[in-house]
């Protein structure tokens, strides 16, 4: 999927996507079109598919079939 503009999501688009999902719930008419408008550069179908992939990933994590990463904390010192 990587490489095409339709499948590449920037950090900004992902943040806008998350915020739009909080505004437009599953009962919102034309939900995916509205979310796509907020995100920008994505079609309603691309946004819907992105959501489905997110839900699928969450199911795998919650079922234990995909390990949650063990992030190492790094200390930084303020200058």
């Amino acid at each position: 999927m990587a490489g095409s503009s339709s499948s590449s999501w920037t950090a900004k688009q992902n943040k806008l996507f998350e915020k739009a999902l909080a505004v437009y719930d599953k009962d919102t008419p034309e939900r995916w079109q509205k979310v796509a408008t907020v995100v920008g550069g994505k079609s309603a179908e691309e946004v819907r598919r992105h959501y489905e992939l997110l839900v699928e990933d969450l199911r795998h994590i919650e079922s234990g079939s995909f390990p949650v990463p063990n992030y190492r904390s790094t200390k930084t010192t303020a200058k």
Side-chain angles (χ1 to χ4, degrees), residues 33-56:
Q33 184 58 49
K34 291 176 182 176
V35 173
T37 299
V38 171
V39 170
K42 301 292 180 186
S43 69
E45 180 59 27
E46 289 168 321
V47 168
R48 183 190 62 78
R49 182 66 184 138
H50 195 62
Y51 176 79
E52 289 175 353
L53 291 170
L54 175 65
V55 169
E56 186 177 319

mmCIF file with all atom_site columns, all heavy atoms in Angstrom, residues 33-56:
data_model
loop_
_atom_site.group_PDB
_atom_site.id
_atom_site.type_symbol
_atom_site.label_atom_id
_atom_site.label_alt_id
_atom_site.label_comp_id
_atom_site.label_asym_id
_atom_site.label_entity_id
_atom_site.label_seq_id
_atom_site.pdbx_PDB_ins_code
_atom_site.Cartn_x
_atom_site.Cartn_y
_atom_site.Cartn_z
_atom_site.occupancy
_atom_site.B_iso_or_equiv
_atom_site.pdbx_formal_charge
_atom_site.auth_seq_id
_atom_site.auth_comp_id
_atom_site.auth_asym_id
_atom_site.auth_atom_id
_atom_site.pdbx_PDB_model_num
ATOM 1   N N   . GLN A 1 33 ? -17.836 10.987 4.217  1.00 0.00 ? 33 GLN A N   1
ATOM 2   C CA  . GLN A 1 33 ? -17.622 12.184 3.400  1.00 0.00 ? 33 GLN A CA  1
ATOM 3   C C   . GLN A 1 33 ? -17.233 13.363 4.288  1.00 0.00 ? 33 GLN A C   1
ATOM 4   O O   . GLN A 1 33 ? -16.340 14.141 3.957  1.00 0.00 ? 33 GLN A O   1
ATOM 5   C CB  . GLN A 1 33 ? -18.874 12.514 2.583  1.00 0.00 ? 33 GLN A CB  1
ATOM 6   C CG  . GLN A 1 33 ? -18.676 13.685 1.644  1.00 0.00 ? 33 GLN A CG  1
ATOM 7   C CD  . GLN A 1 33 ? -17.531 13.458 0.662  1.00 0.00 ? 33 GLN A CD  1
ATOM 8   O OE1 . GLN A 1 33 ? -17.458 12.417 0.015  1.00 0.00 ? 33 GLN A OE1 1
ATOM 9   N NE2 . GLN A 1 33 ? -16.624 14.410 0.571  1.00 0.00 ? 33 GLN A NE2 1
ATOM 10  N N   . LYS A 1 34 ? -17.887 13.482 5.421  1.00 0.00 ? 34 LYS A N   1
ATOM 11  C CA  . LYS A 1 34 ? -17.576 14.576 6.354  1.00 0.00 ? 34 LYS A CA  1
ATOM 12  C C   . LYS A 1 34 ? -16.179 14.422 6.930  1.00 0.00 ? 34 LYS A C   1
ATOM 13  O O   . LYS A 1 34 ? -15.431 15.400 7.036  1.00 0.00 ? 34 LYS A O   1
ATOM 14  C CB  . LYS A 1 34 ? -18.632 14.640 7.453  1.00 0.00 ? 34 LYS A CB  1
ATOM 15  C CG  . LYS A 1 34 ? -19.976 15.111 6.920  1.00 0.00 ? 34 LYS A CG  1
ATOM 16  C CD  . LYS A 1 34 ? -21.051 15.089 7.971  1.00 0.00 ? 34 LYS A CD  1
ATOM 17  C CE  . LYS A 1 34 ? -22.374 15.530 7.351  1.00 0.00 ? 34 LYS A CE  1
ATOM 18  N NZ  . LYS A 1 34 ? -23.478 15.453 8.295  1.00 0.00 ? 34 LYS A NZ  1
ATOM 19  N N   . VAL A 1 35 ? -15.813 13.198 7.294  1.00 0.00 ? 35 VAL A N   1
ATOM 20  C CA  . VAL A 1 35 ? -14.470 12.959 7.822  1.00 0.00 ? 35 VAL A CA  1
ATOM 21  C C   . VAL A 1 35 ? -13.431 13.252 6.733  1.00 0.00 ? 35 VAL A C   1
ATOM 22  O O   . VAL A 1 35 ? -12.412 13.898 6.995  1.00 0.00 ? 35 VAL A O   1
ATOM 23  C CB  . VAL A 1 35 ? -14.323 11.524 8.370  1.00 0.00 ? 35 VAL A CB  1
ATOM 24  C CG1 . VAL A 1 35 ? -12.880 11.220 8.755  1.00 0.00 ? 35 VAL A CG1 1
ATOM 25  C CG2 . VAL A 1 35 ? -15.250 11.308 9.564  1.00 0.00 ? 35 VAL A CG2 1
ATOM 26  N N   . ALA A 1 36 ? -13.699 12.821 5.514  1.00 0.00 ? 36 ALA A N   1
ATOM 27  C CA  . ALA A 1 36 ? -12.776 13.067 4.401  1.00 0.00 ? 36 ALA A CA  1
ATOM 28  C C   . ALA A 1 36 ? -12.588 14.557 4.159  1.00 0.00 ? 36 ALA A C   1
ATOM 29  O O   . ALA A 1 36 ? -11.473 15.010 3.867  1.00 0.00 ? 36 ALA A O   1
ATOM 30  C CB  . ALA A 1 36 ? -13.284 12.376 3.137  1.00 0.00 ? 36 ALA A CB  1
ATOM 31  N N   . THR A 1 37 ? -13.638 15.325 4.298  1.00 0.00 ? 37 THR A N   1
ATOM 32  C CA  . THR A 1 37 ? -13.550 16.772 4.119  1.00 0.00 ? 37 THR A CA  1
ATOM 33  C C   . THR A 1 37 ? -12.628 17.384 5.171  1.00 0.00 ? 37 THR A C   1
ATOM 34  O O   . THR A 1 37 ? -11.807 18.248 4.869  1.00 0.00 ? 37 THR A O   1
ATOM 35  C CB  . THR A 1 37 ? -14.950 17.414 4.191  1.00 0.00 ? 37 THR A CB  1
ATOM 36  O OG1 . THR A 1 37 ? -15.748 16.877 3.128  1.00 0.00 ? 37 THR A OG1 1
ATOM 37  C CG2 . THR A 1 37 ? -14.888 18.915 4.063  1.00 0.00 ? 37 THR A CG2 1
ATOM 38  N N   . VAL A 1 38 ? -12.738 16.913 6.408  1.00 0.00 ? 38 VAL A N   1
ATOM 39  C CA  . VAL A 1 38 ? -11.884 17.413 7.491  1.00 0.00 ? 38 VAL A CA  1
ATOM 40  C C   . VAL A 1 38 ? -10.424 17.021 7.242  1.00 0.00 ? 38 VAL A C   1
ATOM 41  O O   . VAL A 1 38 ? -9.515  17.841 7.398  1.00 0.00 ? 38 VAL A O   1
ATOM 42  C CB  . VAL A 1 38 ? -12.361 16.889 8.863  1.00 0.00 ? 38 VAL A CB  1
ATOM 43  C CG1 . VAL A 1 38 ? -11.355 17.212 9.956  1.00 0.00 ? 38 VAL A CG1 1
ATOM 44  C CG2 . VAL A 1 38 ? -13.726 17.454 9.205  1.00 0.00 ? 38 VAL A CG2 1
ATOM 45  N N   . VAL A 1 39 ? -10.200 15.782 6.847  1.00 0.00 ? 39 VAL A N   1
ATOM 46  C CA  . VAL A 1 39 ? -8.843  15.267 6.655  1.00 0.00 ? 39 VAL A CA  1
ATOM 47  C C   . VAL A 1 39 ? -8.157  15.963 5.477  1.00 0.00 ? 39 VAL A C   1
ATOM 48  O O   . VAL A 1 39 ? -7.003  16.362 5.564  1.00 0.00 ? 39 VAL A O   1
ATOM 49  C CB  . VAL A 1 39 ? -8.869  13.733 6.445  1.00 0.00 ? 39 VAL A CB  1
ATOM 50  C CG1 . VAL A 1 39 ? -7.512  13.212 5.995  1.00 0.00 ? 39 VAL A CG1 1
ATOM 51  C CG2 . VAL A 1 39 ? -9.323  13.031 7.719  1.00 0.00 ? 39 VAL A CG2 1
ATOM 52  N N   . GLY A 1 40 ? -8.870  16.106 4.385  1.00 0.00 ? 40 GLY A N   1
ATOM 53  C CA  . GLY A 1 40 ? -8.304  16.711 3.185  1.00 0.00 ? 40 GLY A CA  1
ATOM 54  C C   . GLY A 1 40 ? -7.433  15.746 2.402  1.00 0.00 ? 40 GLY A C   1
ATOM 55  O O   . GLY A 1 40 ? -6.635  15.012 2.987  1.00 0.00 ? 40 GLY A O   1
ATOM 56  N N   . GLY A 1 41 ? -7.592  15.729 1.093  1.00 0.00 ? 41 GLY A N   1
ATOM 57  C CA  . GLY A 1 41 ? -6.764  14.888 0.235  1.00 0.00 ? 41 GLY A CA  1
ATOM 58  C C   . GLY A 1 41 ? -7.122  13.420 0.213  1.00 0.00 ? 41 GLY A C   1
ATOM 59  O O   . GLY A 1 41 ? -6.408  12.621 -0.378 1.00 0.00 ? 41 GLY A O   1
ATOM 60  N N   . LYS A 1 42 ? -8.216  13.058 0.846  1.00 0.00 ? 42 LYS A N   1
ATOM 61  C CA  . LYS A 1 42 ? -8.666  11.659 0.891  1.00 0.00 ? 42 LYS A CA  1
ATOM 62  C C   . LYS A 1 42 ? -10.129 11.587 0.496  1.00 0.00 ? 42 LYS A C   1
ATOM 63  O O   . LYS A 1 42 ? -10.916 12.486 0.791  1.00 0.00 ? 42 LYS A O   1
ATOM 64  C CB  . LYS A 1 42 ? -8.516  11.070 2.304  1.00 0.00 ? 42 LYS A CB  1
ATOM 65  C CG  . LYS A 1 42 ? -7.103  11.081 2.839  1.00 0.00 ? 42 LYS A CG  1
ATOM 66  C CD  . LYS A 1 42 ? -6.213  10.129 2.075  1.00 0.00 ? 42 LYS A CD  1
ATOM 67  C CE  . LYS A 1 42 ? -4.790  10.157 2.625  1.00 0.00 ? 42 LYS A CE  1
ATOM 68  N NZ  . LYS A 1 42 ? -3.883  9.364  1.829  1.00 0.00 ? 42 LYS A NZ  1
ATOM 69  N N   . SER A 1 43 ? -10.486 10.493 -0.163 1.00 0.00 ? 43 SER A N   1
ATOM 70  C CA  . SER A 1 43 ? -11.890 10.274 -0.528 1.00 0.00 ? 43 SER A CA  1
ATOM 71  C C   . SER A 1 43 ? -12.630 9.659  0.658  1.00 0.00 ? 43 SER A C   1
ATOM 72  O O   . SER A 1 43 ? -12.001 9.160  1.615  1.00 0.00 ? 43 SER A O   1
ATOM 73  C CB  . SER A 1 43 ? -11.994 9.323  -1.723 1.00 0.00 ? 43 SER A CB  1
ATOM 74  O OG  . SER A 1 43 ? -11.608 8.007  -1.348 1.00 0.00 ? 43 SER A OG  1
ATOM 75  N N   . ALA A 1 44 ? -13.938 9.670  0.587  1.00 0.00 ? 44 ALA A N   1
ATOM 76  C CA  . ALA A 1 44 ? -14.745 9.047  1.627  1.00 0.00 ? 44 ALA A CA  1
ATOM 77  C C   . ALA A 1 44 ? -14.409 7.562  1.741  1.00 0.00 ? 44 ALA A C   1
ATOM 78  O O   . ALA A 1 44 ? -14.323 7.016  2.849  1.00 0.00 ? 44 ALA A O   1
ATOM 79  C CB  . ALA A 1 44 ? -16.234 9.251  1.339  1.00 0.00 ? 44 ALA A CB  1
ATOM 80  N N   . GLU A 1 45 ? -14.170 6.916  0.621  1.00 0.00 ? 45 GLU A N   1
ATOM 81  C CA  . GLU A 1 45 ? -13.829 5.491  0.624  1.00 0.00 ? 45 GLU A CA  1
ATOM 82  C C   . GLU A 1 45 ? -12.467 5.255  1.277  1.00 0.00 ? 45 GLU A C   1
ATOM 83  O O   . GLU A 1 45 ? -12.294 4.309  2.041  1.00 0.00 ? 45 GLU A O   1
ATOM 84  C CB  . GLU A 1 45 ? -13.836 4.935  -0.802 1.00 0.00 ? 45 GLU A CB  1
ATOM 85  C CG  . GLU A 1 45 ? -13.492 3.465  -0.901 1.00 0.00 ? 45 GLU A CG  1
ATOM 86  C CD  . GLU A 1 45 ? -14.414 2.536  -0.119 1.00 0.00 ? 45 GLU A CD  1
ATOM 87  O OE1 . GLU A 1 45 ? -15.598 2.881  0.110  1.00 0.00 ? 45 GLU A OE1 1
ATOM 88  O OE2 . GLU A 1 45 ? -13.951 1.451  0.277  1.00 0.00 ? 45 GLU A OE2 1
ATOM 89  N N   . GLU A 1 46 ? -11.493 6.107  1.009  1.00 0.00 ? 46 GLU A N   1
ATOM 90  C CA  . GLU A 1 46 ? -10.171 5.963  1.622  1.00 0.00 ? 46 GLU A CA  1
ATOM 91  C C   . GLU A 1 46 ? -10.250 6.147  3.136  1.00 0.00 ? 46 GLU A C   1
ATOM 92  O O   . GLU A 1 46 ? -9.597  5.418  3.890  1.00 0.00 ? 46 GLU A O   1
ATOM 93  C CB  . GLU A 1 46 ? -9.200  6.985  1.031  1.00 0.00 ? 46 GLU A CB  1
ATOM 94  C CG  . GLU A 1 46 ? -8.808  6.667  -0.398 1.00 0.00 ? 46 GLU A CG  1
ATOM 95  C CD  . GLU A 1 46 ? -8.083  7.807  -1.074 1.00 0.00 ? 46 GLU A CD  1
ATOM 96  O OE1 . GLU A 1 46 ? -8.461  8.984  -0.861 1.00 0.00 ? 46 GLU A OE1 1
ATOM 97  O OE2 . GLU A 1 46 ? -7.133  7.519  -1.827 1.00 0.00 ? 46 GLU A OE2 1
ATOM 98  N N   . VAL A 1 47 ? -11.064 7.087  3.576  1.00 0.00 ? 47 VAL A N   1
ATOM 99  C CA  . VAL A 1 47 ? -11.236 7.339  5.004  1.00 0.00 ? 47 VAL A CA  1
ATOM 100 C C   . VAL A 1 47 ? -11.935 6.156  5.670  1.00 0.00 ? 47 VAL A C   1
ATOM 101 O O   . VAL A 1 47 ? -11.526 5.706  6.742  1.00 0.00 ? 47 VAL A O   1
ATOM 102 C CB  . VAL A 1 47 ? -12.021 8.657  5.214  1.00 0.00 ? 47 VAL A CB  1
ATOM 103 C CG1 . VAL A 1 47 ? -12.478 8.808  6.644  1.00 0.00 ? 47 VAL A CG1 1
ATOM 104 C CG2 . VAL A 1 47 ? -11.169 9.845  4.814  1.00 0.00 ? 47 VAL A CG2 1
ATOM 105 N N   . ARG A 1 48 ? -12.949 5.626  5.024  1.00 0.00 ? 48 ARG A N   1
ATOM 106 C CA  . ARG A 1 48 ? -13.671 4.471  5.574  1.00 0.00 ? 48 ARG A CA  1
ATOM 107 C C   . ARG A 1 48 ? -12.726 3.275  5.689  1.00 0.00 ? 48 ARG A C   1
ATOM 108 O O   . ARG A 1 48 ? -12.701 2.583  6.718  1.00 0.00 ? 48 ARG A O   1
ATOM 109 C CB  . ARG A 1 48 ? -14.868 4.105  4.685  1.00 0.00 ? 48 ARG A CB  1
ATOM 110 C CG  . ARG A 1 48 ? -15.710 2.950  5.256  1.00 0.00 ? 48 ARG A CG  1
ATOM 111 C CD  . ARG A 1 48 ? -16.740 2.435  4.263  1.00 0.00 ? 48 ARG A CD  1
ATOM 112 N NE  . ARG A 1 48 ? -16.133 1.899  3.056  1.00 0.00 ? 48 ARG A NE  1
ATOM 113 C CZ  . ARG A 1 48 ? -15.551 0.695  2.964  1.00 0.00 ? 48 ARG A CZ  1
ATOM 114 N NH1 . ARG A 1 48 ? -15.490 -0.096 4.017  1.00 0.00 ? 48 ARG A NH1 1
ATOM 115 N NH2 . ARG A 1 48 ? -15.026 0.289  1.831  1.00 0.00 ? 48 ARG A NH2 1
ATOM 116 N N   . ARG A 1 49 ? -11.902 3.047  4.678  1.00 0.00 ? 49 ARG A N   1
ATOM 117 C CA  . ARG A 1 49 ? -10.957 1.925  4.704  1.00 0.00 ? 49 ARG A CA  1
ATOM 118 C C   . ARG A 1 49 ? -9.898  2.125  5.799  1.00 0.00 ? 49 ARG A C   1
ATOM 119 O O   . ARG A 1 49 ? -9.518  1.181  6.482  1.00 0.00 ? 49 ARG A O   1
ATOM 120 C CB  . ARG A 1 49 ? -10.300 1.766  3.329  1.00 0.00 ? 49 ARG A CB  1
ATOM 121 C CG  . ARG A 1 49 ? -9.338  0.609  3.249  1.00 0.00 ? 49 ARG A CG  1
ATOM 122 C CD  . ARG A 1 49 ? -10.051 -0.727 3.400  1.00 0.00 ? 49 ARG A CD  1
ATOM 123 N NE  . ARG A 1 49 ? -9.069  -1.795 3.408  1.00 0.00 ? 49 ARG A NE  1
ATOM 124 C CZ  . ARG A 1 49 ? -9.095  -2.831 4.220  1.00 0.00 ? 49 ARG A CZ  1
ATOM 125 N NH1 . ARG A 1 49 ? -10.074 -2.972 5.083  1.00 0.00 ? 49 ARG A NH1 1
ATOM 126 N NH2 . ARG A 1 49 ? -8.162  -3.747 4.178  1.00 0.00 ? 49 ARG A NH2 1
ATOM 127 N N   . HIS A 1 50 ? -9.449  3.358  5.965  1.00 0.00 ? 50 HIS A N   1
ATOM 128 C CA  . HIS A 1 50 ? -8.475  3.669  7.015  1.00 0.00 ? 50 HIS A CA  1
ATOM 129 C C   . HIS A 1 50 ? -9.064  3.334  8.387  1.00 0.00 ? 50 HIS A C   1
ATOM 130 O O   . HIS A 1 50 ? -8.385  2.768  9.243  1.00 0.00 ? 50 HIS A O   1
ATOM 131 C CB  . HIS A 1 50 ? -8.097  5.152  6.922  1.00 0.00 ? 50 HIS A CB  1
ATOM 132 C CG  . HIS A 1 50 ? -6.878  5.545  7.678  1.00 0.00 ? 50 HIS A CG  1
ATOM 133 N ND1 . HIS A 1 50 ? -5.627  5.037  7.411  1.00 0.00 ? 50 HIS A ND1 1
ATOM 134 C CD2 . HIS A 1 50 ? -6.714  6.434  8.695  1.00 0.00 ? 50 HIS A CD2 1
ATOM 135 C CE1 . HIS A 1 50 ? -4.741  5.595  8.236  1.00 0.00 ? 50 HIS A CE1 1
ATOM 136 N NE2 . HIS A 1 50 ? -5.373  6.444  9.027  1.00 0.00 ? 50 HIS A NE2 1
ATOM 137 N N   . TYR A 1 51 ? -10.328 3.652  8.573  1.00 0.00 ? 51 TYR A N   1
ATOM 138 C CA  . TYR A 1 51 ? -11.024 3.346  9.827  1.00 0.00 ? 51 TYR A CA  1
ATOM 139 C C   . TYR A 1 51 ? -11.121 1.829  10.024 1.00 0.00 ? 51 TYR A C   1
ATOM 140 O O   . TYR A 1 51 ? -10.862 1.329  11.119 1.00 0.00 ? 51 TYR A O   1
ATOM 141 C CB  . TYR A 1 51 ? -12.422 3.963  9.810  1.00 0.00 ? 51 TYR A CB  1
ATOM 142 C CG  . TYR A 1 51 ? -13.243 3.617  11.021 1.00 0.00 ? 51 TYR A CG  1
ATOM 143 C CD1 . TYR A 1 51 ? -13.055 4.281  12.227 1.00 0.00 ? 51 TYR A CD1 1
ATOM 144 C CD2 . TYR A 1 51 ? -14.211 2.619  10.975 1.00 0.00 ? 51 TYR A CD2 1
ATOM 145 C CE1 . TYR A 1 51 ? -13.801 3.963  13.353 1.00 0.00 ? 51 TYR A CE1 1
ATOM 146 C CE2 . TYR A 1 51 ? -14.961 2.295  12.087 1.00 0.00 ? 51 TYR A CE2 1
ATOM 147 C CZ  . TYR A 1 51 ? -14.751 2.968  13.270 1.00 0.00 ? 51 TYR A CZ  1
ATOM 148 O OH  . TYR A 1 51 ? -15.486 2.644  14.382 1.00 0.00 ? 51 TYR A OH  1
ATOM 149 N N   . GLU A 1 52 ? -11.479 1.111  8.970  1.00 0.00 ? 52 GLU A N   1
ATOM 150 C CA  . GLU A 1 52 ? -11.596 -0.348 9.073  1.00 0.00 ? 52 GLU A CA  1
ATOM 151 C C   . GLU A 1 52 ? -10.259 -0.986 9.445  1.00 0.00 ? 52 GLU A C   1
ATOM 152 O O   . GLU A 1 52 ? -10.213 -1.921 10.249 1.00 0.00 ? 52 GLU A O   1
ATOM 153 C CB  . GLU A 1 52 ? -12.118 -0.936 7.763  1.00 0.00 ? 52 GLU A CB  1
ATOM 154 C CG  . GLU A 1 52 ? -13.579 -0.613 7.516  1.00 0.00 ? 52 GLU A CG  1
ATOM 155 C CD  . GLU A 1 52 ? -14.062 -1.083 6.154  1.00 0.00 ? 52 GLU A CD  1
ATOM 156 O OE1 . GLU A 1 52 ? -13.234 -1.552 5.332  1.00 0.00 ? 52 GLU A OE1 1
ATOM 157 O OE2 . GLU A 1 52 ? -15.277 -0.974 5.915  1.00 0.00 ? 52 GLU A OE2 1
ATOM 158 N N   . LEU A 1 53 ? -9.173  -0.471 8.880  1.00 0.00 ? 53 LEU A N   1
ATOM 159 C CA  . LEU A 1 53 ? -7.845  -0.992 9.218  1.00 0.00 ? 53 LEU A CA  1
ATOM 160 C C   . LEU A 1 53 ? -7.491  -0.692 10.670 1.00 0.00 ? 53 LEU A C   1
ATOM 161 O O   . LEU A 1 53 ? -6.902  -1.530 11.353 1.00 0.00 ? 53 LEU A O   1
ATOM 162 C CB  . LEU A 1 53 ? -6.785  -0.414 8.284  1.00 0.00 ? 53 LEU A CB  1
ATOM 163 C CG  . LEU A 1 53 ? -6.849  -0.894 6.840  1.00 0.00 ? 53 LEU A CG  1
ATOM 164 C CD1 . LEU A 1 53 ? -5.908  -0.076 5.965  1.00 0.00 ? 53 LEU A CD1 1
ATOM 165 C CD2 . LEU A 1 53 ? -6.546  -2.374 6.742  1.00 0.00 ? 53 LEU A CD2 1
ATOM 166 N N   . LEU A 1 54 ? -7.864  0.471  11.140 1.00 0.00 ? 54 LEU A N   1
ATOM 167 C CA  . LEU A 1 54 ? -7.633  0.837  12.533 1.00 0.00 ? 54 LEU A CA  1
ATOM 168 C C   . LEU A 1 54 ? -8.387  -0.101 13.476 1.00 0.00 ? 54 LEU A C   1
ATOM 169 O O   . LEU A 1 54 ? -7.829  -0.614 14.443 1.00 0.00 ? 54 LEU A O   1
ATOM 170 C CB  . LEU A 1 54 ? -8.073  2.284  12.770 1.00 0.00 ? 54 LEU A CB  1
ATOM 171 C CG  . LEU A 1 54 ? -8.011  2.793  14.208 1.00 0.00 ? 54 LEU A CG  1
ATOM 172 C CD1 . LEU A 1 54 ? -6.578  2.848  14.701 1.00 0.00 ? 54 LEU A CD1 1
ATOM 173 C CD2 . LEU A 1 54 ? -8.666  4.160  14.304 1.00 0.00 ? 54 LEU A CD2 1
ATOM 174 N N   . VAL A 1 55 ? -9.645  -0.342 13.176 1.00 0.00 ? 55 VAL A N   1
ATOM 175 C CA  . VAL A 1 55 ? -10.457 -1.239 14.004 1.00 0.00 ? 55 VAL A CA  1
ATOM 176 C C   . VAL A 1 55 ? -9.871  -2.646 13.988 1.00 0.00 ? 55 VAL A C   1
ATOM 177 O O   . VAL A 1 55 ? -9.772  -3.304 15.029 1.00 0.00 ? 55 VAL A O   1
ATOM 178 C CB  . VAL A 1 55 ? -11.936 -1.243 13.520 1.00 0.00 ? 55 VAL A CB  1
ATOM 179 C CG1 . VAL A 1 55 ? -12.730 -2.352 14.186 1.00 0.00 ? 55 VAL A CG1 1
ATOM 180 C CG2 . VAL A 1 55 ? -12.581 0.108  13.780 1.00 0.00 ? 55 VAL A CG2 1
ATOM 181 N N   . GLU A 1 56 ? -9.432  -3.096 12.820 1.00 0.00 ? 56 GLU A N   1
ATOM 182 C CA  . GLU A 1 56 ? -8.826  -4.428 12.702 1.00 0.00 ? 56 GLU A CA  1
ATOM 183 C C   . GLU A 1 56 ? -7.553  -4.515 13.558 1.00 0.00 ? 56 GLU A C   1
ATOM 184 O O   . GLU A 1 56 ? -7.339  -5.492 14.276 1.00 0.00 ? 56 GLU A O   1
ATOM 185 C CB  . GLU A 1 56 ? -8.494  -4.695 11.235 1.00 0.00 ? 56 GLU A CB  1
ATOM 186 C CG  . GLU A 1 56 ? -7.988  -6.089 10.952 1.00 0.00 ? 56 GLU A CG  1
ATOM 187 C CD  . GLU A 1 56 ? -7.742  -6.297 9.469  1.00 0.00 ? 56 GLU A CD  1
ATOM 188 O OE1 . GLU A 1 56 ? -8.563  -5.828 8.650  1.00 0.00 ? 56 GLU A OE1 1
ATOM 189 O OE2 . GLU A 1 56 ? -6.717  -6.925 9.144  1.00 0.00 ? 56 GLU A OE2 1
#
